[in-house]
Amino acid sequence: MARISGSNGARTAAAIRSSARGLIYRHGYAAMNLRELATEVGISPGSLYNHITTKQGLLFDLIAEHMAALLAETDAALAAAGPDPMARLRAFIAHHLLYHFERRQEVFIANFELRSLEPPNHARVVAMRRSYEGRLIALLDAGVATGELDIPDTHVAAYAILAMLTGVCTWYRPDGRLSKEELVALHTRLVLDGVRRHRGEAAARAAPPARPAAKAQGKRARAKTPLSPRRRGG
Amino acid sequence: MARISGSNGARTAAAIRSSARGLIYRHGYAAMNLRELATEVGISPGSLYNHITTKQGLLFDLIAEHMAALLAETDAALAAAGPDPMARLRAFIAHHLLYHFERRQEVFIANFELRSLEPPNHARVVAMRRSYEGRLIALLDAGVATGELDIPDTHVAAYAILAMLTGVCTWYRPDGRLSKEELVALHTRLVLDGVRRHRGEAAARAAPPARPAAKAQGKRARAKTPLSPRRRGG
DNA sequence: CCCGGAAACTAACGTATGTTCGTTTTCAAG
DNA sequence: CTTGAAAACGAACATACGTTAGTTTCCGGG
């Protein structure tokens, strides 16, 4: 009994990827074993190799496809948002969240199984990730240029924003208390209020915890100056 | 040649934990193997079992100790900050970042090897984590109560803030461009501007893209209701 | 109808891994 | 000096895993 009746290469390949996503998401790449994957797909372990090169190749394919899709869809969303920097920033935030809600597993895998990729594969994925971060950094820079945003360091801000937005996936559940739209609204506000230029009360809001004294002196002088450029001793 | 001259139980145990932290941090729990650990410590694989119960027990010990320390030190930092809600919030942010800078490996392990814990161990760590989140939620609630903070949903805000702050550890490097203090200042500002009450321009900034309807009904009544229970599996 | 490839099967290989076991050596207490 | 626990050793066990090999069956094109 081999070559089961009605078997279909494309369908099996899709089932493998789908099951692999779930297994890696739940157990991690290293802890996932191909026998369990084969069982879930409904074929024998050896048959997997009609559709994958190696376990490592399977992981890379899953991650690379996800990253490519994320980049493409993000660009589409930004294009649809038009030229206004703030509109584009809102579009980025909303798209990031909605895409991540939709594909929690892929996102999680791409973020936390990066280290499981062998060097050449690793480098390729990192490059795609950099590219994605670069899009947000560019948006923030654009907002700073128009004066609508007030961000001392757009790189740091971009990483912080991405961490915050991506973090939602770790606890979001479709049947949870809050809808996707509510979460988008909440996080849009959190992000924008964090980077927007506020009238009047500009300075001293990042004052060190202990001393409420340094209240009125700095005004907004340092807002545009780059952060201390060089490293410290050790 | 066994029981090497000058050997010392406590020192070996510490070396095991230290090496295990590094190995799990770099390779992940499942991918770490005890032979490599033993080699790094400088003993034979079997000798590990003079100091650990099982591989799983070692992971649990590492995580549980970290969580206990985090809770204890956080409480100390909050106590030192006095009673003012905003001062306490600043203290929480600063302490969270500094602690996480100091112990990046433990933090990473505690966050991303949770799933590698067997159910009973998993439950105990989750409880500690809940407790930590609870401290921030309480701080936000206190700020809302005094009117200094303006937060539609303190649970969501707390998770978002923790994700943002913890995310810094994924890219912070001691010899990087920004010092710890600068990062604390930047993130304190990002967080506080995200949750602070802004004068005048209060409303409509979180308007949902699609349906602005469900806006005025809940107000902040539901800020206290618990989220739908988190489940592990998919 | 026939035939070659696609896609499945069974079986096994080689290795790696967590863990156990019995032994041996050091050190400190009596 | 004796003794017993602590802490190391080397060896092995049992299993699990990724992967390969050879074989068998179904299906579509000639």
Side-chain angles (χ1 to χ4, degrees), chain B residues 74-136:
Chain B
T74 298
D75 286 342
L78 289 180
D84 176 58
M86 296 305 284
R88 290 168 69 82
L89 179 55
R90 286 174 182 278
F92 182 95
I93 295 169
H95 176 266
H96 182 99
L97 285 170
L98 294 176
Y99 181 96
H100 281 55
F101 290 154
E102 207 73 29
R103 303 171 79 157
R104 298 211 306 279
Q105 297 185 347
E106 289 93 325
V107 166
F108 189 88
I109 293 171
N111 283 334
F112 300 116
E113 294 297 354
L114 246 179
R115 63 177 167 193
S116 302
L117 289 174
E118 289 154 4
N121 292 339
H122 185 273
R124 281 193 272 175
V125 174
V126 166
M128 291 194 254
R129 192 187 166 110
R130 278 262 161 74
S131 176
Y132 185 68
E133 294 164 352
R135 281 163 174 72
L136 176 56

Short mmCIF file of all heavy atoms in Angstrom, two decimals, chain B residues 74-136:
data_model
loop_
_atom_site.label_atom_id
_atom_site.label_comp_id
_atom_site.label_asym_id
_atom_site.label_seq_id
_atom_site.Cartn_x
_atom_site.Cartn_y
_atom_site.Cartn_z
N THR B 74 12.08 44.39 42.48
CA THR B 74 11.09 45.38 42.07
C THR B 74 10.39 45.98 43.29
O THR B 74 10.22 47.20 43.38
CB THR B 74 10.05 44.72 41.15
OG1 THR B 74 10.69 44.24 39.98
CG2 THR B 74 8.98 45.73 40.75
N ASP B 75 10.01 45.12 44.21
CA ASP B 75 9.35 45.63 45.39
C ASP B 75 10.26 46.57 46.16
O ASP B 75 9.81 47.60 46.68
CB ASP B 75 8.92 44.45 46.28
CG ASP B 75 7.71 43.73 45.69
OD1 ASP B 75 7.04 44.33 44.83
OD2 ASP B 75 7.46 42.58 46.07
N ALA B 76 11.54 46.23 46.20
CA ALA B 76 12.48 47.11 46.90
C ALA B 76 12.55 48.47 46.20
O ALA B 76 12.53 49.53 46.85
CB ALA B 76 13.85 46.46 46.96
N ALA B 77 12.61 48.44 44.87
CA ALA B 77 12.70 49.70 44.12
C ALA B 77 11.44 50.55 44.31
O ALA B 77 11.52 51.77 44.45
CB ALA B 77 12.93 49.41 42.64
N LEU B 78 10.31 49.88 44.34
CA LEU B 78 9.06 50.63 44.52
C LEU B 78 8.98 51.21 45.92
O LEU B 78 8.55 52.36 46.12
CB LEU B 78 7.85 49.72 44.26
CG LEU B 78 7.64 49.32 42.79
CD1 LEU B 78 6.42 48.43 42.64
CD2 LEU B 78 7.50 50.56 41.91
N ALA B 79 9.42 50.43 46.87
CA ALA B 79 9.39 50.93 48.24
C ALA B 79 10.29 52.16 48.38
O ALA B 79 9.93 53.14 49.03
CB ALA B 79 9.85 49.84 49.21
N ALA B 80 11.43 52.12 47.71
CA ALA B 80 12.35 53.25 47.79
C ALA B 80 11.81 54.49 47.09
O ALA B 80 12.24 55.61 47.36
CB ALA B 80 13.70 52.86 47.17
N ALA B 81 10.86 54.29 46.20
CA ALA B 81 10.34 55.42 45.42
C ALA B 81 9.29 56.22 46.17
O ALA B 81 8.89 57.30 45.73
CB ALA B 81 9.76 54.92 44.10
N GLY B 82 8.83 55.68 47.27
CA GLY B 82 7.84 56.41 48.04
C GLY B 82 6.43 56.18 47.53
O GLY B 82 6.18 55.32 46.69
N PRO B 83 5.50 56.98 47.99
CA PRO B 83 4.08 56.72 47.72
C PRO B 83 3.53 57.36 46.45
O PRO B 83 2.48 56.93 45.96
CB PRO B 83 3.40 57.33 48.95
CG PRO B 83 4.30 58.46 49.33
CD PRO B 83 5.70 58.08 48.91
N ASP B 84 4.20 58.34 45.89
CA ASP B 84 3.63 59.05 44.75
C ASP B 84 3.51 58.12 43.53
O ASP B 84 4.51 57.54 43.10
CB ASP B 84 4.49 60.26 44.39
CG ASP B 84 3.98 60.95 43.14
OD1 ASP B 84 2.80 61.36 43.15
OD2 ASP B 84 4.74 61.04 42.16
N PRO B 85 2.33 58.01 42.94
CA PRO B 85 2.11 57.07 41.82
C PRO B 85 3.05 57.31 40.65
O PRO B 85 3.59 56.35 40.09
CB PRO B 85 0.66 57.35 41.43
CG PRO B 85 0.01 57.84 42.66
CD PRO B 85 1.06 58.64 43.38
N MET B 86 3.25 58.55 40.26
CA MET B 86 4.11 58.80 39.11
C MET B 86 5.57 58.47 39.42
O MET B 86 6.29 57.93 38.58
CB MET B 86 3.98 60.26 38.66
CG MET B 86 2.60 60.62 38.18
SD MET B 86 2.01 59.53 36.85
CE MET B 86 2.94 60.18 35.48
N ALA B 87 6.00 58.81 40.62
CA ALA B 87 7.37 58.46 41.00
C ALA B 87 7.54 56.95 41.01
O ALA B 87 8.57 56.42 40.57
CB ALA B 87 7.69 59.04 42.39
N ARG B 88 6.52 56.26 41.46
CA ARG B 88 6.60 54.80 41.49
C ARG B 88 6.62 54.23 40.08
O ARG B 88 7.34 53.26 39.80
CB ARG B 88 5.42 54.22 42.29
CG ARG B 88 5.53 54.50 43.78
CD ARG B 88 4.24 54.20 44.51
NE ARG B 88 3.93 52.77 44.58
CZ ARG B 88 4.45 51.93 45.46
NH1 ARG B 88 5.32 52.38 46.35
NH2 ARG B 88 4.10 50.66 45.46
N LEU B 89 5.85 54.83 39.21
CA LEU B 89 5.84 54.36 37.82
C LEU B 89 7.21 54.56 37.16
O LEU B 89 7.74 53.67 36.48
CB LEU B 89 4.75 55.07 37.02
CG LEU B 89 4.63 54.68 35.54
CD1 LEU B 89 4.46 53.18 35.39
CD2 LEU B 89 3.45 55.41 34.89
N ARG B 90 7.78 55.73 37.38
CA ARG B 90 9.13 55.97 36.86
C ARG B 90 10.12 54.98 37.44
O ARG B 90 10.99 54.46 36.74
CB ARG B 90 9.58 57.39 37.22
CG ARG B 90 8.93 58.49 36.41
CD ARG B 90 9.34 59.85 36.97
NE ARG B 90 8.70 60.95 36.26
CZ ARG B 90 9.14 61.43 35.12
NH1 ARG B 90 10.24 60.94 34.58
NH2 ARG B 90 8.49 62.42 34.53
N ALA B 91 9.99 54.73 38.72
CA ALA B 91 10.90 53.78 39.36
C ALA B 91 10.73 52.39 38.76
O ALA B 91 11.72 51.67 38.53
CB ALA B 91 10.63 53.75 40.87
N PHE B 92 9.50 52.02 38.50
CA PHE B 92 9.25 50.70 37.91
C PHE B 92 9.92 50.60 36.55
O PHE B 92 10.62 49.63 36.25
CB PHE B 92 7.75 50.47 37.77
CG PHE B 92 7.40 49.11 37.23
CD1 PHE B 92 7.09 48.06 38.09
CD2 PHE B 92 7.39 48.86 35.86
CE1 PHE B 92 6.79 46.80 37.60
CE2 PHE B 92 7.09 47.61 35.37
CZ PHE B 92 6.79 46.58 36.23
N ILE B 93 9.73 51.61 35.73
CA ILE B 93 10.30 51.59 34.38
C ILE B 93 11.82 51.52 34.45
O ILE B 93 12.46 50.68 33.80
CB ILE B 93 9.86 52.84 33.60
CG1 ILE B 93 8.35 52.83 33.38
CG2 ILE B 93 10.61 52.93 32.26
CD1 ILE B 93 7.80 54.15 32.86
N ALA B 94 12.39 52.39 35.26
CA ALA B 94 13.86 52.42 35.36
C ALA B 94 14.39 51.09 35.89
O ALA B 94 15.34 50.53 35.35
CB ALA B 94 14.30 53.57 36.26
N HIS B 95 13.75 50.60 36.91
CA HIS B 95 14.23 49.34 37.48
C HIS B 95 14.08 48.19 36.49
O HIS B 95 14.98 47.36 36.34
CB HIS B 95 13.49 49.00 38.77
CG HIS B 95 13.89 47.67 39.31
ND1 HIS B 95 13.20 46.51 39.02
CD2 HIS B 95 14.94 47.30 40.08
CE1 HIS B 95 13.81 45.50 39.60
NE2 HIS B 95 14.86 45.94 40.25
N HIS B 96 12.94 48.15 35.83
CA HIS B 96 12.72 47.08 34.85
C HIS B 96 13.84 47.07 33.82
O HIS B 96 14.44 46.03 33.53
CB HIS B 96 11.37 47.26 34.17
CG HIS B 96 11.02 46.18 33.20
ND1 HIS B 96 10.20 45.12 33.50
CD2 HIS B 96 11.40 45.98 31.91
CE1 HIS B 96 10.08 44.32 32.46
NE2 HIS B 96 10.80 44.82 31.47
N LEU B 97 14.14 48.24 33.28
CA LEU B 97 15.17 48.32 32.25
C LEU B 97 16.54 47.95 32.80
O LEU B 97 17.26 47.13 32.22
CB LEU B 97 15.20 49.72 31.64
CG LEU B 97 14.05 50.01 30.68
CD1 LEU B 97 14.02 51.49 30.32
CD2 LEU B 97 14.17 49.16 29.42
N LEU B 98 16.90 48.53 33.92
CA LEU B 98 18.24 48.28 34.45
C LEU B 98 18.41 46.82 34.84
O LEU B 98 19.44 46.21 34.55
CB LEU B 98 18.50 49.21 35.65
CG LEU B 98 18.57 50.69 35.25
CD1 LEU B 98 18.73 51.58 36.47
CD2 LEU B 98 19.73 50.92 34.27
N TYR B 99 17.39 46.27 35.46
CA TYR B 99 17.46 44.85 35.82
C TYR B 99 17.61 44.00 34.57
O TYR B 99 18.38 43.06 34.53
CB TYR B 99 16.21 44.45 36.60
CG TYR B 99 16.19 43.01 37.05
CD1 TYR B 99 16.60 42.66 38.33
CD2 TYR B 99 15.78 41.99 36.19
CE1 TYR B 99 16.59 41.34 38.75
CE2 TYR B 99 15.78 40.67 36.60
CZ TYR B 99 16.19 40.36 37.88
OH TYR B 99 16.19 39.05 38.28
N HIS B 100 16.86 44.35 33.55
CA HIS B 100 16.89 43.56 32.32
C HIS B 100 18.20 43.72 31.57
O HIS B 100 18.65 42.80 30.89
CB HIS B 100 15.69 43.91 31.43
CG HIS B 100 14.42 43.25 31.89
ND1 HIS B 100 13.95 43.38 33.17
CD2 HIS B 100 13.54 42.44 31.24
CE1 HIS B 100 12.83 42.69 33.29
NE2 HIS B 100 12.56 42.11 32.14
N PHE B 101 18.80 44.91 31.66
CA PHE B 101 20.12 45.08 31.05
C PHE B 101 21.12 44.16 31.74
O PHE B 101 21.97 43.54 31.11
CB PHE B 101 20.60 46.53 31.20
CG PHE B 101 19.83 47.49 30.34
CD1 PHE B 101 19.73 48.83 30.70
CD2 PHE B 101 19.21 47.08 29.17
CE1 PHE B 101 19.03 49.71 29.91
CE2 PHE B 101 18.50 47.96 28.38
CZ PHE B 101 18.41 49.29 28.76
N GLU B 102 20.98 44.14 33.05
CA GLU B 102 21.95 43.40 33.87
C GLU B 102 21.84 41.90 33.65
O GLU B 102 22.82 41.18 33.71
CB GLU B 102 21.69 43.73 35.34
CG GLU B 102 22.90 43.60 36.23
CD GLU B 102 23.87 44.76 35.97
OE1 GLU B 102 23.40 45.87 35.58
OE2 GLU B 102 25.06 44.56 36.14
N ARG B 103 20.64 41.42 33.40
CA ARG B 103 20.41 39.98 33.37
C ARG B 103 19.65 39.58 32.12
O ARG B 103 18.60 38.95 32.17
CB ARG B 103 19.65 39.59 34.64
CG ARG B 103 20.42 40.01 35.88
CD ARG B 103 19.63 39.84 37.16
NE ARG B 103 19.60 38.45 37.61
CZ ARG B 103 19.38 38.09 38.87
NH1 ARG B 103 19.19 39.01 39.79
NH2 ARG B 103 19.33 36.83 39.20
N ARG B 104 20.23 39.94 31.03
CA ARG B 104 19.57 39.68 29.75
C ARG B 104 19.30 38.20 29.52
O ARG B 104 18.26 37.82 29.00
CB ARG B 104 20.43 40.20 28.59
CG ARG B 104 20.66 41.69 28.64
CD ARG B 104 20.80 42.26 27.25
NE ARG B 104 21.82 41.58 26.48
CZ ARG B 104 23.12 41.82 26.58
NH1 ARG B 104 23.54 42.74 27.43
NH2 ARG B 104 23.99 41.18 25.84
N GLN B 105 20.27 37.39 29.90
CA GLN B 105 20.11 35.96 29.63
C GLN B 105 18.95 35.37 30.42
O GLN B 105 18.08 34.70 29.86
CB GLN B 105 21.40 35.22 29.96
CG GLN B 105 22.57 35.67 29.09
CD GLN B 105 23.82 34.84 29.35
OE1 GLN B 105 23.89 34.11 30.32
NE2 GLN B 105 24.79 34.97 28.46
N GLU B 106 18.93 35.63 31.71
CA GLU B 106 17.84 35.10 32.53
C GLU B 106 16.49 35.56 32.00
O GLU B 106 15.53 34.78 31.93
CB GLU B 106 17.97 35.57 33.99
CG GLU B 106 19.11 34.94 34.75
CD GLU B 106 20.36 35.80 34.68
OE1 GLU B 106 20.59 36.42 33.62
OE2 GLU B 106 21.11 35.84 35.66
N VAL B 107 16.42 36.83 31.64
CA VAL B 107 15.16 37.38 31.17
C VAL B 107 14.70 36.68 29.90
O VAL B 107 13.56 36.26 29.77
CB VAL B 107 15.32 38.89 30.89
CG1 VAL B 107 14.16 39.42 30.08
CG2 VAL B 107 15.48 39.64 32.20
N PHE B 108 15.64 36.52 28.99
CA PHE B 108 15.30 35.88 27.73
C PHE B 108 14.82 34.45 27.97
O PHE B 108 13.80 34.01 27.42
CB PHE B 108 16.52 35.88 26.81
CG PHE B 108 16.24 35.42 25.43
CD1 PHE B 108 15.84 36.31 24.46
CD2 PHE B 108 16.36 34.08 25.09
CE1 PHE B 108 15.56 35.89 23.17
CE2 PHE B 108 16.08 33.65 23.80
CZ PHE B 108 15.69 34.56 22.84
N ILE B 109 15.55 33.75 28.80
CA ILE B 109 15.17 32.37 29.09
C ILE B 109 13.79 32.30 29.73
O ILE B 109 12.95 31.50 29.34
CB ILE B 109 16.23 31.72 30.00
CG1 ILE B 109 17.55 31.58 29.25
CG2 ILE B 109 15.76 30.36 30.49
CD1 ILE B 109 18.72 31.15 30.11
N ALA B 110 13.59 33.16 30.70
CA ALA B 110 12.31 33.12 31.42
C ALA B 110 11.15 33.42 30.48
O ALA B 110 10.05 32.88 30.63
CB ALA B 110 12.31 34.12 32.56
N ASN B 111 11.39 34.25 29.49
CA ASN B 111 10.31 34.62 28.58
C ASN B 111 10.06 33.56 27.51
O ASN B 111 8.92 33.30 27.16
CB ASN B 111 10.61 35.95 27.90
CG ASN B 111 10.36 37.12 28.83
OD1 ASN B 111 9.55 37.03 29.75
ND2 ASN B 111 11.06 38.21 28.61
N PHE B 112 11.13 32.99 26.99
CA PHE B 112 10.95 32.18 25.79
C PHE B 112 11.20 30.70 25.97
O PHE B 112 11.09 29.94 25.02
CB PHE B 112 11.80 32.75 24.66
CG PHE B 112 11.42 34.16 24.36
CD1 PHE B 112 12.31 35.19 24.56
CD2 PHE B 112 10.14 34.46 23.92
CE1 PHE B 112 11.94 36.49 24.31
CE2 PHE B 112 9.77 35.76 23.67
CZ PHE B 112 10.67 36.78 23.86
N GLU B 113 11.54 30.30 27.18
CA GLU B 113 11.61 28.87 27.42
C GLU B 113 10.50 28.43 28.36
O GLU B 113 10.50 27.31 28.85
CB GLU B 113 12.98 28.48 27.98
CG GLU B 113 14.12 28.68 27.02
CD GLU B 113 14.04 27.82 25.76
OE1 GLU B 113 13.14 26.97 25.66
OE2 GLU B 113 14.88 28.03 24.85
N LEU B 114 9.56 29.31 28.57
CA LEU B 114 8.40 28.97 29.37
C LEU B 114 7.73 27.72 28.82
O LEU B 114 7.31 26.83 29.55
CB LEU B 114 7.40 30.13 29.35
CG LEU B 114 7.15 30.86 30.65
CD1 LEU B 114 6.17 31.98 30.45
CD2 LEU B 114 6.64 29.88 31.69
N ARG B 115 7.65 27.65 27.52
CA ARG B 115 6.94 26.55 26.90
C ARG B 115 7.67 25.23 27.07
O ARG B 115 7.11 24.18 26.85
CB ARG B 115 6.76 26.81 25.41
CG ARG B 115 8.08 26.88 24.68
CD ARG B 115 7.88 27.07 23.20
NE ARG B 115 9.14 27.43 22.56
CZ ARG B 115 9.25 27.89 21.35
NH1 ARG B 115 8.16 28.08 20.64
NH2 ARG B 115 10.41 28.19 20.83
N SER B 116 8.95 25.32 27.43
CA SER B 116 9.72 24.09 27.64
C SER B 116 9.51 23.52 29.03
O SER B 116 10.04 22.46 29.34
CB SER B 116 11.20 24.35 27.41
OG SER B 116 11.44 24.86 26.11
N LEU B 117 8.78 24.24 29.85
CA LEU B 117 8.52 23.74 31.20
C LEU B 117 7.34 22.78 31.18
O LEU B 117 6.33 23.03 30.52
CB LEU B 117 8.24 24.90 32.15
CG LEU B 117 9.42 25.79 32.51
CD1 LEU B 117 8.95 26.98 33.35
CD2 LEU B 117 10.48 25.00 33.26
N GLU B 118 7.48 21.72 31.95
CA GLU B 118 6.36 20.79 32.06
C GLU B 118 5.26 21.43 32.89
O GLU B 118 5.52 22.33 33.69
CB GLU B 118 6.86 19.48 32.69
CG GLU B 118 7.75 18.71 31.73
CD GLU B 118 8.74 17.80 32.44
OE1 GLU B 118 8.67 17.72 33.68
OE2 GLU B 118 9.60 17.21 31.75
N PRO B 119 4.04 20.98 32.71
CA PRO B 119 2.87 21.67 33.28
C PRO B 119 3.00 22.17 34.71
O PRO B 119 2.74 23.35 34.95
CB PRO B 119 1.76 20.65 33.10
CG PRO B 119 2.13 19.91 31.87
CD PRO B 119 3.64 19.83 31.88
N PRO B 120 3.39 21.33 35.66
CA PRO B 120 3.43 21.87 37.03
C PRO B 120 4.43 23.02 37.18
O PRO B 120 4.11 24.04 37.79
CB PRO B 120 3.85 20.66 37.88
CG PRO B 120 4.24 19.59 36.94
CD PRO B 120 3.74 19.92 35.59
N ASN B 121 5.62 22.86 36.61
CA ASN B 121 6.60 23.93 36.66
C ASN B 121 6.09 25.16 35.92
O ASN B 121 6.27 26.30 36.36
CB ASN B 121 7.92 23.47 36.05
CG ASN B 121 8.60 22.40 36.87
OD1 ASN B 121 8.33 22.26 38.07
ND2 ASN B 121 9.47 21.62 36.25
N HIS B 122 5.49 24.91 34.77
CA HIS B 122 4.96 26.01 33.97
C HIS B 122 3.98 26.84 34.77
O HIS B 122 4.05 28.08 34.78
CB HIS B 122 4.29 25.42 32.73
CG HIS B 122 3.81 26.44 31.75
ND1 HIS B 122 2.57 27.03 31.85
CD2 HIS B 122 4.41 27.00 30.68
CE1 HIS B 122 2.43 27.89 30.85
NE2 HIS B 122 3.53 27.90 30.14
N ALA B 123 3.10 26.18 35.45
CA ALA B 123 2.07 26.90 36.20
C ALA B 123 2.69 27.78 37.28
O ALA B 123 2.26 28.92 37.49
CB ALA B 123 1.09 25.90 36.82
N ARG B 124 3.70 27.26 37.93
CA ARG B 124 4.30 28.05 39.01
C ARG B 124 4.97 29.31 38.47
O ARG B 124 4.88 30.38 39.05
CB ARG B 124 5.32 27.19 39.77
CG ARG B 124 4.63 26.25 40.75
CD ARG B 124 5.62 25.65 41.71
NE ARG B 124 6.21 24.42 41.17
CZ ARG B 124 7.19 23.75 41.78
NH1 ARG B 124 7.68 24.19 42.92
NH2 ARG B 124 7.68 22.64 41.24
N VAL B 125 5.64 29.19 37.34
CA VAL B 125 6.31 30.37 36.78
C VAL B 125 5.28 31.37 36.27
O VAL B 125 5.42 32.59 36.46
CB VAL B 125 7.28 29.96 35.66
CG1 VAL B 125 7.85 31.19 34.98
CG2 VAL B 125 8.40 29.10 36.23
N VAL B 126 4.23 30.87 35.63
CA VAL B 126 3.20 31.77 35.13
C VAL B 126 2.60 32.58 36.27
O VAL B 126 2.32 33.78 36.12
CB VAL B 126 2.12 30.98 34.36
CG1 VAL B 126 0.89 31.84 34.15
CG2 VAL B 126 2.66 30.48 33.04
N ALA B 127 2.44 31.94 37.40
CA ALA B 127 1.87 32.66 38.54
C ALA B 127 2.79 33.81 38.96
O ALA B 127 2.31 34.92 39.24
CB ALA B 127 1.66 31.70 39.71
N MET B 128 4.07 33.56 38.97
CA MET B 128 5.01 34.64 39.36
C MET B 128 4.97 35.77 38.34
O MET B 128 5.02 36.95 38.68
CB MET B 128 6.42 34.07 39.47
CG MET B 128 6.60 33.13 40.63
SD MET B 128 8.35 32.78 40.98
CE MET B 128 8.53 31.14 40.37
N ARG B 129 4.86 35.38 37.09
CA ARG B 129 4.82 36.38 36.04
C ARG B 129 3.58 37.25 36.15
O ARG B 129 3.63 38.47 36.02
CB ARG B 129 4.83 35.63 34.71
CG ARG B 129 5.07 36.43 33.49
CD ARG B 129 4.85 35.48 32.35
NE ARG B 129 4.74 36.11 31.07
CZ ARG B 129 5.66 36.01 30.12
NH1 ARG B 129 6.78 35.37 30.38
NH2 ARG B 129 5.46 36.55 28.95
N ARG B 130 2.46 36.60 36.41
CA ARG B 130 1.21 37.32 36.64
C ARG B 130 1.38 38.34 37.75
O ARG B 130 0.89 39.46 37.69
CB ARG B 130 0.09 36.35 37.04
CG ARG B 130 -0.54 35.65 35.88
CD ARG B 130 -1.84 36.36 35.49
NE ARG B 130 -2.20 35.98 34.13
CZ ARG B 130 -2.69 34.80 33.79
NH1 ARG B 130 -2.88 33.89 34.71
NH2 ARG B 130 -2.96 34.54 32.54
N SER B 131 2.07 37.90 38.76
CA SER B 131 2.27 38.76 39.92
C SER B 131 3.06 40.01 39.51
O SER B 131 2.75 41.12 39.94
CB SER B 131 3.01 37.97 41.00
OG SER B 131 3.30 38.80 42.10
N TYR B 132 4.05 39.81 38.67
CA TYR B 132 4.85 40.96 38.22
C TYR B 132 4.00 41.90 37.37
O TYR B 132 4.01 43.12 37.58
CB TYR B 132 6.06 40.47 37.42
CG TYR B 132 7.00 41.57 37.02
CD1 TYR B 132 7.74 42.26 37.98
CD2 TYR B 132 7.15 41.94 35.70
CE1 TYR B 132 8.61 43.28 37.63
CE2 TYR B 132 8.01 42.95 35.33
CZ TYR B 132 8.74 43.62 36.30
OH TYR B 132 9.60 44.63 35.93
N GLU B 133 3.27 41.35 36.43
CA GLU B 133 2.39 42.18 35.61
C GLU B 133 1.41 42.95 36.49
O GLU B 133 1.10 44.12 36.25
CB GLU B 133 1.61 41.30 34.62
CG GLU B 133 2.47 40.63 33.57
CD GLU B 133 1.76 39.49 32.87
OE1 GLU B 133 0.65 39.10 33.30
OE2 GLU B 133 2.32 38.96 31.89
N GLY B 134 0.95 42.27 37.54
CA GLY B 134 -0.01 42.89 38.44
C GLY B 134 0.53 44.15 39.09
O GLY B 134 -0.21 45.11 39.33
N ARG B 135 1.82 44.15 39.37
CA ARG B 135 2.39 45.34 40.00
C ARG B 135 2.31 46.55 39.07
O ARG B 135 2.00 47.66 39.50
CB ARG B 135 3.85 45.06 40.38
CG ARG B 135 3.99 44.27 41.66
CD ARG B 135 5.36 43.67 41.78
NE ARG B 135 5.60 43.01 43.06
CZ ARG B 135 5.07 41.87 43.44
NH1 ARG B 135 4.19 41.27 42.65
NH2 ARG B 135 5.37 41.34 44.60
N LEU B 136 2.60 46.34 37.79
CA LEU B 136 2.51 47.45 36.86
C LEU B 136 1.05 47.89 36.66
O LEU B 136 0.75 49.08 36.62
CB LEU B 136 3.14 47.07 35.51
CG LEU B 136 3.02 48.15 34.41
CD1 LEU B 136 3.61 49.48 34.89
CD2 LEU B 136 3.72 47.69 33.13
#
